[in-house]
Amino acid sequence: MAGEKSFLIGDLPGLTPQLGRLVSMMRYVRDTTRDAVAGLGVDELDYLHDRESNSIGALLAHVAAVEEWYQAATFDGRRLEPSDMGEWGAALDLGEAARREIRGRPLDAYLIRLSAVRERTLAELSSRDDAWLEERSPFWAGAPANNHFKWFHVFEDELNHRGQIRWLRARAARPGNISNR
Amino acid sequence: MAGEKSFLIGDLPGLTPQLGRLVSMMRYVRDTTRDAVAGLGVDELDYLHDRESNSIGALLAHVAAVEEWYQAATFDGRRLEPSDMGEWGAALDLGEAARREIRGRPLDAYLIRLSAVRERTLAELSSRDDAWLEERSPFWAGAPANNHFKWFHVFEDELNHRGQIRWLRARAARPGNISNR
């Protein structure tokens, strides 16, 4: 899949300059997330390294949940709760509920969920512009954040978890290491 | 330290618009990396979760090594080898050599190294402009990459490892879990 990736951060058709660069980054990050899970079976997606570990599947679902949360926050001006996300809700906060509820699903279920969420992100961003990226609102601890930061945060959180996914994948794939059977 | 962080991606004094946004991201990422290791002792920095795991210290040293590698690549037009980095060289490729050589150092040694490397990055970037970010050269598998991508990659790799550092920190801090004594 590496051949499909672009190593250019720059203008993209239909997007204003800053949005083009932001979406270039989001796209590259997502390509690498998909590469990191390519070919995984249900056992590997459900693998729990220890009692406090998140599974790779839960981390993938979390990436989609975070993106949906920021869609609501920045496009709709509302705060999503896990219960607003149906069967995927437990992924928002990870931990115990996600270990219990986000499992037994094939890779495609996660990839379809990620693509569906991303589709809306791209549609919404393409109707906005660089001035929108500058808009600020109170954020963590009341400090101001602009929309550019919020969408940067969506992919920086994804990268954080991609690092964990790569680490977990190397362990989950070892014979005898599937702890969920 | 959270109070010191900015949640704005935008213009920065003395930098052209795209560079300002790039450096805003690099700075936020580094702040979170520092937060992720705050207060760690040598035992925790050297903690090896298993035989193939990298220590938190080695990951911190890797972050600095990658940044120095891209300085040479993009500012000096040359390819650095681990041997060009002296006592820190083993961190570039991680793995066995890093497990052997990057250890026994206090947190400050890593933080000082990170700051020293970052200082040069900021000095060099402040003498460049957005047109420089667009400059392309052959990169992975010969596909073109621009300087914007290369510096994006420096912080996206850092985030990948920050995710691993957070995961390892939660395990290294448990009594009895220090495997290097």
Side-chain angles (χ1 to χ4, degrees):
Chain A
M1 306 229 280
E4 301 167 16
K5 281 197 281 286
S6 167
F7 308 127
L8 300 172
I9 303 296
D11 287 325
L12 289 178
L15 293 172
T16 50
Q18 300 297 349
L19 276 169
R21 282 148 184 84
L22 177 67
V23 172
S24 298
M25 294 180 189
M26 291 171 61
R27 184 179 287 179
Y28 177 82
V29 171
R30 181 58 49 85
D31 285 347
T32 61
T33 299
R34 293 173 68 100
D35 284 355
V37 298
L40 290 182
V42 175
D43 279 353
E44 293 158 312
L45 291 164
D46 289 351
Y47 170 70
L48 295 173
H49 189 78
D50 58 30
R51 247 187 252 188
E52 273 114 70
S53 207
N54 297 297
S55 70
I56 293 173
L59 293 172
L60 284 177
H62 175 72
V63 164
V66 167
E67 182 165 340
E68 193 175 24
W69 196 93
Y70 279 91
Q71 287 177 350
T74 66
F75 302 145
D76 312 325
R78 72 190 186 98
R79 189 187 166 86
L80 276 194
E81 299 300 331
S83 56
D84 297 318
M85 293 184 192
E87 58 170 339
W88 296 104
L92 188 62
D93 297 322
L94 289 171
E96 199 48 47
R99 271 187 289 277
R100 199 172 52 237
E101 296 174 30
I102 312 287
R103 51 179 298 167
R105 306 176 201 204
L107 180 58
D108 264 3
Y110 298 101
L111 296 182
I112 289 167
R113 162 85 170 140
L114 282 164
S115 295
V117 172
R118 177 54 53 92
E119 202 174 334
R120 184 184 174 207
T121 300
L122 295 177
E124 296 281 354
L125 290 179
S126 69
S127 74
R128 288 171 170 79
D129 60 18
D130 291 353
W132 179 82
L133 283 178
E134 301 281 335
E135 288 177 17
R136 301 179 183 194
S137 60
F139 199 54
W140 294 326
N146 58 21
N147 287 323
H148 205 147
F149 177 85
K150 291 174 190 174
W151 282 96
F152 156 71
H153 173 61
V154 170
F155 81 70
E156 71 99 11
D157 189 65
E158 178 170 351
L159 286 163
N160 184 86
H161 295 303
R162 187 199 70 193
Q164 296 168 341
I165 287 171
R166 287 181 178 172
W167 194 95
L168 290 167
R169 180 186 180 132
R171 274 87 187 161
R174 285 184 199 147
N177 247 6
I178 303 296
S179 66
N180 274 324
R181 279 178 184 141
Chain B
M1 308 227 277
E4 300 166 17
K5 280 197 281 288
S6 166
F7 309 126
L8 300 172
I9 304 297
D11 287 324
L12 288 178
L15 293 173
T16 51
Q18 300 298 350
L19 276 169
R21 283 150 184 83
L22 177 67
V23 172
S24 298
M25 294 180 189
M26 292 171 61
R27 183 179 287 180
Y28 177 82
V29 171
R30 181 59 49 85
D31 286 346
T32 61
T33 299
R34 294 174 67 101
D35 284 356
V37 298
L40 290 182
V42 176
D43 279 353
E44 293 158 313
L45 291 165
D46 288 351
Y47 171 70
L48 294 173
H49 189 77
D50 58 29
R51 248 186 252 187
E52 273 113 69
S53 208
N54 296 298
S55 71
I56 294 173
L59 291 171
L60 284 176
H62 175 72
V63 165
V66 167
E67 183 165 339
E68 193 175 23
W69 195 94
Y70 280 89
Q71 287 176 351
T74 67
F75 302 145
D76 310 325
R78 72 189 185 99
R79 189 187 166 85
L80 276 194
E81 298 302 330
S83 56
D84 297 318
M85 294 184 191
E87 59 170 337
W88 295 104
L92 188 62
D93 297 322
L94 288 169
E96 198 49 47
R99 271 186 289 276
R100 199 172 52 237
E101 296 174 30
I102 312 287
R103 50 178 299 165
R105 307 176 200 204
L107 180 58
D108 263 3
Y110 298 100
L111 297 181
I112 288 167
R113 162 85 171 141
L114 283 163
S115 295
V117 173
R118 177 55 53 92
E119 201 173 337
R120 183 185 175 206
T121 300
L122 295 177
E124 295 282 353
L125 289 179
S126 69
S127 75
R128 288 171 169 79
D129 60 17
D130 291 353
W132 179 82
L133 283 178
E134 301 282 336
E135 287 177 18
R136 301 178 183 195
S137 61
F139 199 55
W140 294 325
N146 58 21
N147 286 324
H148 205 148
F149 177 85
K150 291 173 189 173
W151 282 96
F152 156 71
H153 174 61
V154 170
F155 81 70
E156 72 98 9
D157 189 66
E158 179 170 349
L159 285 163
N160 184 86
H161 295 303
R162 188 199 68 193
Q164 296 168 341
I165 288 171
R166 286 181 179 173
W167 194 95
L168 290 167
R169 180 186 180 133
R171 275 86 186 162
R174 285 185 200 147
N177 249 7
I178 303 297
S179 65
N180 274 325
R181 280 179 183 140

